[in-house]
Amino acid sequence: MKKNIYFKEASSISVEKLADLQFGCQDGAIWGDYLFLFNTLAECRVFNFNDLSFVCEFNLDKRDLICPHSNAVVFGCEYYKEGDEFPLLYSNIYNNYEKIEGDRREGMVCVYRITREEKVFKSTLVQLIKIDFTNSTLWRSENCNDKRPFGNFVIDRENKKLFAFTMKDQDCKTRFFSFSLPKLSDGEYSTEFNLPVVTLGKQDIKECFDCEYIHFMQGAAYHDGYIYTTEGFYHDAINHPAIRVFDIKEQKQVLYIDLIDLGLNLEAEFIDIYEGKTYYIDGVGNVFKIIFE
């Protein structure tokens, strides 16, 4: 088998199970020696990525006020302070419509500083990023009662771009937007959150394009010009657990993997690419490496 083979060169796809972490996660991210997994209650479990042993757990800062779902979690490129071990962590709020009455907070991303002292981790919410056109048909379906268009987010660290994408026009397409990634120094101070909030408007859009429909978006990651996404539910005849890959330059979908074909029928959640290899975790904490041969 070739090392670090890209999916576009592969003639076959298989999976290798690495562990059962027994933690129902949404998404997370890998950085250095650590795997961070977040659930819908904004609780995080940290694992040593070398042997997938448990390290510790912590909660995201201001989770009762913000109610982040952590549906897409990625590390960025900017550090809060020189000497920090981890760059800023970005986690979207997603579907909190059952948690905060009258305020869906669509199109919002939480930005956290993550610090560590030996095996004790801490998060501090330092910024919010908000898209201000989520009520327009540029972002959502004509049906304003549609609960789906909260939007997922990934970051191109090399080019300092923020990509947002949303389920559009009921079940017809996914719409992608790109923006310049806001700096930590950007934004206007909010007394509600006691931190700066960056607002992205239509005038800030760098790119906008439509691709195949993502069936109920789960985790997401960016790597080498491609957005990787997971989707679907457990035992759902229409919304299969699956992985999609989108080519940003070509503005099109270039890979679809129905995970049921690989014997994986649990709800799809986490995806990340680390050292050229693709890792996937389902909704109950089974960890897999996707092998492209």
Side-chain angles (χ1 to χ4, degrees):
M1 183 182 72
K2 297 180 183 178
K3 291 184 178 180
N4 299 344
I5 186 170
Y6 285 102
F7 65 87
K8 59 186 178 182
E9 302 169 349
S11 58
S12 66
I13 301 171
S14 60
V15 294
E16 175 187 351
K17 184 173 179 178
L18 303 180
D20 178 3
L21 302 180
Q22 298 183 351
F23 180 62
C25 70
Q26 291 299 317
D27 197 20
I30 304 167
W31 192 268
D33 292 331
Y34 298 103
L35 166 65
F36 297 81
L37 289 184
F38 296 86
N39 66 13
T40 186
L41 300 176
E43 299 168 339
C44 178
R45 288 190 183 178
V46 184
F47 298 86
N48 185 313
F49 192 63
N50 297 305
D51 59 10
L52 293 174
S53 60
F54 175 75
V55 177
C56 73
E57 57 186 332
F58 67 92
N59 297 330
L60 285 175
D61 184 30
K62 298 184 180 179
R63 63 172 181 160
D64 294 335
L65 173 64
I66 303 296
C67 298
H69 189 71
S70 301
N71 210 62
V73 179
V74 296
F75 281 101
C77 51
E78 185 177 3
Y79 288 79
Y80 181 85
K81 184 179 180 180
E82 185 178 356
D84 275 5
E85 182 176 3
F86 305 100
L88 296 173
L89 181 80
Y90 296 74
S91 175
N92 69 335
I93 291 179
Y94 206 61
N95 61 348
N96 69 351
Y97 49 85
E98 296 177 349
K99 300 177 182 177
I100 302 177
E101 185 177 356
D103 186 357
R104 289 162 54 95
R105 292 183 179 164
E106 295 158 293
M108 292 188 71
V109 182
C110 304
V111 185
Y112 298 92
R113 181 192 187 193
I114 304 295
T115 55
R116 177 179 71 91
E117 292 186 12
E118 295 184 351
K119 291 186 177 182
V120 178
F121 287 73
K122 179 183 177 181
S123 73
T124 304
L125 184 64
V126 294
Q127 185 185 58
L128 286 172
I129 301 171
K130 179 180 181 179
I131 292 174
D132 77 347
F133 53 86
T134 56
N135 284 329
S136 75
T137 54
L138 179 64
W139 176 268
R140 62 182 302 121
S141 303
E142 295 282 353
N143 176 11
C144 291
N145 293 320
D146 189 351
K147 292 183 176 181
R148 293 174 288 186
F150 278 79
N152 264 16
F153 301 83
V154 292
I155 290 173
D156 174 356
R157 290 192 288 266
E158 182 179 358
N159 296 301
K160 298 182 180 179
K161 284 186 175 182
L162 173 70
F163 289 93
F165 47 103
T166 181
M167 301 158 77
K168 183 76 171 61
D169 293 344
Q170 303 294 340
D171 57 359
C172 296
K173 59 195 172 192
T174 303
R175 177 159 290 173
F176 290 80
F177 303 88
S178 73
F179 307 88
S180 295
L181 179 64
K183 297 178 181 179
L184 186 59
S185 58
D186 295 340
E188 295 186 5
Y189 181 80
S190 165
T191 56
E192 178 184 4
F193 303 112
N194 195 30
L195 47 78
V197 176
V198 176
T199 301
L200 299 175
K202 296 178 182 179
Q203 71 279 2
D204 298 306
I205 298 171
K206 303 299 182 183
E207 302 163 280
C208 178
F209 59 92
D210 296 335
C211 286
E212 283 81 352
Y213 179 71
I214 300 176
H215 289 256
F216 291 91
M217 297 184 292
Q218 305 288 357
Y222 179 94
H223 178 70
D224 196 26
Y226 299 91
I227 292 177
Y228 294 66
T229 70
T230 60
E231 65 177 67
F233 303 117
Y234 175 62
H235 281 175
D236 191 307
I238 298 176
N239 304 302
H240 287 189
I243 294 173
R244 295 181 190 266
V245 182
F246 299 90
D247 185 322
I248 297 304
K249 183 178 180 180
E250 298 295 328
Q251 300 185 350
K252 66 179 183 180
Q253 177 178 295
V254 291
L255 180 67
Y256 174 81
I257 305 172
D258 190 330
L259 292 169
I260 291 179
D261 293 341
L262 300 180
L264 307 179
N265 64 357
L266 296 178
E267 184 169 345
E269 296 291 359
F270 170 104
I271 191 165
D272 204 359
I273 296 84
Y274 182 69
E275 294 185 346
K277 299 176 182 178
T278 304
Y279 297 91
Y280 161 78
I281 303 178
D282 64 27
V284 298
N286 294 305
V287 184
F288 300 90
K289 180 168 64 175
I290 307 294
I291 300 172
F292 300 104
E293 296 183 297

